[in-house]
Amino acid sequence: MTILFFKRAIEDFRNNRLLNVVTLLTVSLSILIVSAFVLFFINTSEIMNFWKKGLRVMAYLKADIPGSELLDLRRQIQTLSGVESVIFISKDDAYKQLKAQMKRQASLFDNLDKNPLPDAFEIRMSPSTRSWEKVEFLATQIESRDEVEEVEYGQKWLGRFTQIFDLFTLTGYAMCTIFFMAAVFIMANTIRLVIYSRRDEIEIMRLVGAAERFIKIPFYIQGLLQGALGACIGLAILFVAFLFMASNIERGFFSGLFNIQFLSPLFLGIIILISMLVGWLGSYLSLKQFLKG
Amino acid sequence: MIDANEKSSVIRMFHVHHNYGIQKALIDITLDIPKNDFVFITGPSGAGKTTLLKLLYLAEAVTEGQVLIDGMNLSRVPRKRIPLLRRKFGIIFQDYKLIANRTVFDNVSLVLEAAGKKRRLILKKVRSVLRLVGMEDRQTALPLSLSGGEQQRVAVARALVGDPKIILADEPTGSLDDDSAGIIMDLLKDVHIRGTTVIIATHDKDLIRKTGGRVLFLKEGRLDTSSFVEKDYDNSIF
Ligand SMILES: Nc1ncnc2c1ncn2[C@@H]1O[C@H](COP(=O)(O)OP(=O)(O)O)[C@@H](O)[C@H]1O
Ligand SMILES: [Mg+2]
């Protein structure tokens, strides 16, 4: 029985070849664009996380603050929203660290008669503090304290990048929605034309006592097949483009910093399923409209 | 006329009216078709013959009155059960209504596939019914490569393959030459002899005269009982 339905669906494919090819291309293109966005999104958020992990605010303190006040300040910073941990770095620790880092230039330190570095708090942000505004807000709050001399945090360009990234995400969602609807619409239109081209056949099937389900299943199969096939074509094109770009990027500026990756099997599966959903939905809509029974 | 034994009648109509909008196609039809009847519904073009058949297989719903098939009241058949009702019938049309891009075999097997029959049974049934109508050599042909008479034989095979209780034929020979028409009528008489109720709508008086059988006469949507006896031919003429 199932074989029979597939046979009918594939027959339809052949009988309306141009129509089906155009639909397939539309679905592939939609999937290509949407999944290219997803791919970009995944890789950029990977990079962003990489940077954000290292995101910390350094609060350099004025000299000679009594220990009790330090404890107090530390407790207060700890309670600010978005703060994950506060570590005190004494000027002596900082000095040792600096010296260790600059072994080769150790002679530089010989000329210093006293440690020029200030005490500091190293404040790490919780991963949920995604927005740049929160980081900036936190920094101003800390800077307003009397005990704090200066606050230093991430590069300004990272902030600007975050904003662009957010904008991009929003555009991406809008685009995905539009392409989803367009794909459903085009799919529905194709199935509608197929129904139209087969209206005599459908009438005959009804006359010989075929149930609605029996009549409709091949159309659903056709929609699902087109969705799956379109997704595979779109993803294949994306993969080729990815291989091409990845080899260029890894040899270039970013090499070694992080490795860009293709969509995981899970994501590939989800995209194919969504594309099949598009096919199913398209079939459903036109069958609902044109096969009232 | 209705007091025929209820058990033996497959189709009954009680005061049936059918309107297409304001156009009255059938007016106050009351009739009774016993099991294993061979009956012609005749009358001039536009008399309502096609409409009467359509009421039976629920292509149209009655405007007023009752239609009973096998004791089942058609106005109480829910939409979802219409396909089941239609499987009681084998229907034959003047224009054959074969699916153009499917082979002879596939056109006939469709009925059993739709009824969810097993593949092996389908194969066996379709072959035997195609042999019966003399089309076993053309199984893989497409309908349009066949003559009108051959196409109608395929349509008859399709009507018979599900072993229906009732055959409905709407002008089955209307597009055929005399020889082809003769073959079709012989087939219908054969299935009648094997116990099937056969109802044929036709305006062709010669066909009725040649074939023989009971005749119902429709005129402007009414059943004309006055001409009943006069039109009741006997098989012996043949
Ligand atoms: N679908 C329809 N819409 C409107 N009027 C119809 C329709 N079908 C048939 N009629 C009218 O109903 C009457 C009976 O038609 P029909 O049953 O086809 O007659 P017959 O088959 O005896 O020639 C005719 O007057 C015809 O014009
Ligand atoms: Mg007619």
Side-chain angles (χ1 to χ4, degrees):
Chain A
M1 203 52 142
T2 327
I3 296 168
L4 186 81
F5 288 134
F6 269 95
K7 201 178 120 207
R8 295 265 180 271
I10 289 163
E11 261 171 30
D12 265 344
F13 238 88
R14 282 214 304 264
N15 292 336
N16 302 286
R17 203 169 299 165
L18 181 67
L19 183 66
N20 280 297
V21 166
V22 169
T23 308
L24 212 55
L25 287 181
T26 317
V27 174
S28 312
L29 196 66
S30 305
I31 289 296
L32 176 63
I33 291 168
V34 169
S35 54
F37 164 75
V38 172
L39 183 63
F40 185 88
F41 180 82
I42 286 173
N43 275 297
T44 357
S45 29
E46 196 65 23
I47 298 168
M48 300 281 296
N49 279 342
F50 176 79
W51 279 327
K52 272 184 183 162
K53 249 184 247 158
L55 188 61
R56 55 184 182 32
V57 175
M58 294 297 294
Y60 297 108
L61 306 175
K62 288 177 179 160
D64 305 324
I65 294 168
S68 61
E69 268 180 55
L70 274 182
L71 274 176
D72 218 34
L73 181 62
R74 180 181 173 159
R75 209 176 303 121
Q76 282 173 25
I77 292 175
Q78 187 80 65
T79 58
L80 293 174
S81 91
V83 172
E84 189 174 70
S85 67
V86 182
I87 300 162
F88 179 70
I89 298 171
S90 73
K91 56 184 178 186
D92 296 336
D93 288 344
Y95 189 66
K96 266 183 239 156
Q97 219 177 317
L98 192 62
K99 255 167 111 174
Q101 272 171 14
M102 305 180 76
K103 253 184 211 141
R104 293 235 197 104
Q105 293 93 343
S107 57
L108 277 175
F109 295 94
D110 296 343
N111 299 328
L112 292 172
D113 51 353
K114 77 181 220 326
N115 179 1
L117 299 174
D119 289 330
F121 281 125
E122 184 188 299
I123 302 141
R124 288 193 178 270
M125 320 292 293
S126 61
S128 61
T129 314
R130 284 187 158 256
S131 90
W132 191 250
E133 286 79 17
K134 277 192 194 160
V135 179
E136 275 182 328
F137 181 65
L138 195 70
T140 21
Q141 275 180 302
I142 297 168
E143 200 161 26
S144 67
R145 300 293 304 226
D146 284 342
E147 302 91 333
V148 176
E149 176 80 48
E150 200 189 342
V151 170
E152 199 184 270
Y153 59 97
Q155 302 84 338
K156 282 275 182 286
W157 65 268
L158 183 54
R160 223 169 297 131
F161 187 77
T162 311
Q163 280 168 0
I164 293 170
F165 182 74
D166 289 346
L167 189 70
F168 188 83
T169 310
L170 212 67
T171 323
Y173 283 140
M175 250 170 35
C176 284
T177 315
I178 289 169
F179 276 102
F180 182 82
M181 292 195 311
V184 169
F185 175 78
I186 286 161
M187 188 69 85
N189 203 48
T190 302
I191 300 288
R192 184 172 66 88
L193 289 173
V194 175
I195 292 172
Y196 187 75
S197 75
R198 287 182 47 184
R199 62 198 182 287
D200 292 344
E201 186 179 331
I202 290 169
E203 189 212 329
I204 291 166
M205 298 221 275
R206 283 189 176 140
L207 287 177
V208 301
E212 288 305 293
R213 212 165 47 96
F214 181 86
I215 296 172
K216 286 176 179 174
I217 285 176
F219 291 106
Y220 279 118
I221 290 179
Q222 204 179 343
L224 289 173
L225 277 181
Q226 257 174 352
L229 203 60
C232 290
I233 294 174
L235 289 172
I237 295 173
L238 183 70
F239 186 63
V240 171
F242 170 81
L243 285 182
F244 180 73
M245 286 206 319
S247 66
N248 278 345
I249 287 177
E250 267 163 14
R251 261 190 263 116
F253 170 66
F254 290 107
S255 93
L257 249 182
F258 48 83
N259 49 343
I260 62 171
Q261 48 192 331
F262 197 59
L263 302 169
S264 68
L266 178 70
F267 263 106
L268 293 177
I270 290 173
I271 288 173
I272 291 174
L273 278 182
I274 289 177
S275 184
M276 289 171 81
L277 175 74
V278 166
W280 185 87
L281 212 59
S283 307
Y284 172 79
L285 289 177
S286 39
L287 286 171
K288 201 174 152 74
Q289 191 178 358
F290 296 101
L291 277 191
K292 291 254 170 58
Chain B
M1 170 181 153
I2 325 234
D3 37 62
N5 181 4
E6 183 157 354
K7 272 180 200 148
S8 69
S9 67
V10 274
I11 293 171
R12 310 189 106 197
M13 289 190 167
F14 294 101
H15 304 291
V16 165
H17 296 252
H18 187 78
N19 303 342
Y20 292 104
I22 55 162
Q23 163 82 30
K24 289 183 186 335
L26 290 174
I27 302 157
D28 199 23
I29 306 282
T30 296
L31 58 78
D32 184 64
I33 295 175
K35 193 168 182 302
N36 200 20
D37 201 1
F38 191 92
V39 59
F40 286 102
I41 296 167
T42 189
S45 179
K49 305 180 291 293
T50 296
T51 305
L52 195 144
L53 293 189
K54 281 185 171 172
L55 293 183
L56 297 179
Y57 60 88
L58 277 179
E60 294 285 344
V62 289
T63 307
E64 209 188 307
Q66 310 283 320
V67 180
L68 300 180
I69 289 173
D70 264 352
M72 176 172 51
N73 191 333
L74 289 197
S75 53
R76 304 230 176 85
V77 174
R79 252 171 106 86
K80 287 194 80 165
R81 296 194 76 91
I82 292 178
L84 289 178
L85 172 87
R86 288 191 180 149
R87 290 177 202 166
K88 287 183 190 290
F89 298 112
I91 313 175
I92 301 163
F93 302 91
Q94 177 170 2
D95 59 356
Y96 327 125
K97 289 205 194 296
L98 297 175
I99 299 172
N101 55 19
R102 294 201 196 170
T103 63
V104 164
F105 184 95
D106 286 353
N107 265 280
V108 177
S109 66
L110 173 67
V111 177
L112 299 179
E113 284 162 3
K117 295 283 189 270
K118 292 235 161 56
R119 186 101 202 110
R120 275 189 41 194
L121 177 86
I122 294 177
L123 218 64
K124 217 176 89 189
K125 274 301 263 182
V126 174
R127 284 206 185 122
S128 90
V129 82
L130 282 176
R131 197 175 312 125
L132 182 74
V133 301
M135 293 296 292
E136 73 269 41
D137 294 336
R138 309 302 305 274
Q139 286 187 28
T140 56
L142 288 174
L144 292 180
S145 69
L146 304 175
S147 74
E150 288 171 326
Q151 288 186 59
Q152 194 63 304
R153 273 146 71 188
V154 175
V156 169
R158 181 182 62 190
L160 297 180
V161 76
D163 292 323
K165 288 189 145 182
I166 306 160
I167 295 283
L168 302 177
D170 193 356
E171 310 277 4
T173 58
S175 311
L176 305 181
D177 59 75
D178 284 353
D179 288 348
S180 301
I183 294 172
I184 298 299
M185 293 314 288
D186 286 346
L187 285 169
L188 292 180
K189 279 196 291 190
D190 281 351
V191 291
H192 167 239
I193 287 165
R194 283 186 284 142
T196 310
T197 308
V198 178
I199 302 168
I200 303 163
T202 182
H203 66 275
D204 184 347
K205 292 198 182 88
D206 283 345
L207 184 78
I208 299 171
R209 199 171 297 124
K210 272 191 270 181
T211 315
R214 195 160 77 91
V215 180
L216 298 175
F217 197 85
L218 276 177
K219 199 175 160 192
E220 289 168 4
R222 289 176 197 275
L223 208 52
D224 187 348
T225 41
S226 67
S227 48
F228 215 77
V229 180
E230 174 196 342
K231 302 280 178 192
D232 202 349
Y233 297 98
D234 189 72
N235 273 335
S236 60
I237 296 174
F238 199 58

